[in-house]
Amino acid sequence: MLTNNLQVVQDKIRMALQKRKNKKITGSDVTLVAVTKNHPPEVIEAALALGIKDIGENRVQEAKHKKEVLPTGGCWHLIGHLQSNKVRHAVGMFDIIESVDSLHLLAEIDKEAGRIGKVQEILLQLNIADEKQKFGFSKNEYLKALTKLDDYRYLRIRGIMVIAHQCDDIEETRPVFASGYRIYCDLKAARQEIDILSMGMSGDYTVAVEEGANTVRVGTALFGQRDYNLKF
Ligand SMILES: *Cc1c(COP(=O)(O)O)cnc(C)c1O
């Protein structure tokens, strides 16, 4: 099933790239982050065996458990909200933290990375539609965060992460992704080293790629429904 699903997702990404209206500065290589949250560790092994390199998990504790039972390998992305008291574990474990969503967290991650002698790669998560119940920087907070970045020696910002709201019609997500792309372009103009625009999940990754995403985070379309009874 996974082999087949992977083929389908990769084909749809290719088609979305062909449908892109204009050339995008994000390039035409799309990194597929396989989101394995609420699936057992074997699922990660199977994904790695098929050549998937990027693994997305949303909970520190769950990822820790999986990393303990799996052989090393893969590039691990934290995609869920990070609580301050989990920063220590997260910095030790994740290659990239996509879900940095507050000034406080920037400072905490920098401190911990410095302590263990690591440069932590991060994305800033944006709350573009400014939805109250969602994590992510508002536009103003984001601009403020950018002015602080150079104070942190142990952080390396690689770009931004955007989550669209759930909607019945995926076309409704297009303006959100288009605005994510514009913000990315501005950021890239200021900092050339920026190279990741992470947008799109199972329900909307095709639209995200059309609008310029070069990283998508896909779970259900690869692995089927999650099992929320699994305990880690
Ligand atoms: C769970 C999750 C995904 C994957 O969701 P699917 O709909 O299963 O593809 C992507 N991004 C984030 C931030 C998530 O929490």
Side-chain angles (χ1 to χ4, degrees):
M1 183 184 83
L2 176 56
T3 312
N4 195 49
N5 291 351
L6 178 59
Q7 188 74 54
V8 170
V9 170
Q10 284 170 335
D11 285 348
K12 286 191 175 178
I13 290 174
R14 260 192 298 277
M15 276 158 53
L17 282 168
Q18 281 166 13
K19 275 181 70 182
R20 266 189 190 176
K21 298 235 170 53
N22 303 305
K23 210 159 178 244
K24 305 280 185 189
I25 66 167
T26 40
S28 55
D29 281 335
V30 176
T31 300
L32 174 60
V33 178
V35 177
T36 50
K37 65 188 188 197
N38 293 97
H39 287 288
E42 300 82 77
V43 160
I44 299 179
E45 256 183 318
L48 294 172
L50 286 176
I52 290 175
K53 294 193 178 62
D54 293 271
I55 301 298
E57 286 281 339
N58 70 331
R59 289 177 52 240
V60 172
Q61 196 56 39
E62 180 174 339
K64 185 166 179 288
H65 165 77
K66 291 177 182 176
K67 288 203 95 170
E68 278 164 7
V69 301
L70 285 169
T72 55
C75 175
W76 289 64
H77 298 235
L78 179 63
I79 60 171
H81 175 64
L82 176 58
Q83 292 168 309
S84 297
N85 63 352
K86 302 272 171 61
V87 165
R88 175 160 294 199
H89 284 310
V91 170
M93 237 175 0
F94 287 96
D95 299 287
I96 179 160
I97 301 177
E98 295 201 15
S99 45
V100 177
D101 57 9
S102 71
L103 294 171
H104 175 68
L105 210 47
L106 278 177
E108 293 288 311
I109 295 172
D110 180 67
K111 197 165 85 188
E112 177 59 18
R115 196 186 67 84
I116 65 168
K118 172 185 187 181
V119 174
Q120 178 67 57
E121 298 194 349
I122 59 163
L123 303 184
L124 300 182
Q125 179 178 345
L126 302 188
N127 183 357
I128 287 185
D130 221 348
E131 294 164 277
K132 287 278 169 300
Q133 71 285 11
K134 279 239 206 98
F135 292 112
F137 286 101
S138 68
K139 186 82 199 235
N140 281 340
E141 291 168 330
Y142 164 73
L143 293 174
K144 190 161 173 203
L146 292 184
T147 68
K148 303 253 180 195
L149 279 177
D150 292 327
D151 297 346
Y152 299 125
R153 292 173 52 202
Y154 302 99
L155 298 184
R156 178 175 168 222
I157 182 178
R158 292 201 51 194
I160 60 176
M161 191 261 259
V162 171
I163 303 177
H165 45 289
Q166 285 208 324
C167 8
D168 300 330
D169 176 3
I170 67 166
E171 280 303 320
E172 287 174 34
T173 62
R174 194 177 294 280
V176 175
F177 295 140
S179 108
Y181 177 71
R182 281 192 300 273
I183 295 168
Y184 177 89
C185 291
D186 290 345
L187 181 59
K188 176 92 177 166
R191 298 172 169 266
Q192 290 206 333
E193 71 276 17
I194 295 296
D195 63 350
I196 297 180
L197 176 56
S198 173
M199 320 191 281
M201 330 192 342
S202 291
D204 53 24
Y205 67 94
T206 52
V207 178
V209 169
E210 284 171 29
E211 294 303 323
N214 63 10
T215 297
V216 295
R217 310 171 310 270
V218 179
T220 313
L222 291 172
F223 306 113
Q225 291 301 317
R226 288 181 273 277
D227 180 358
Y228 289 103
N229 293 318
L230 276 182
K231 291 279 173 277
F232 297 95

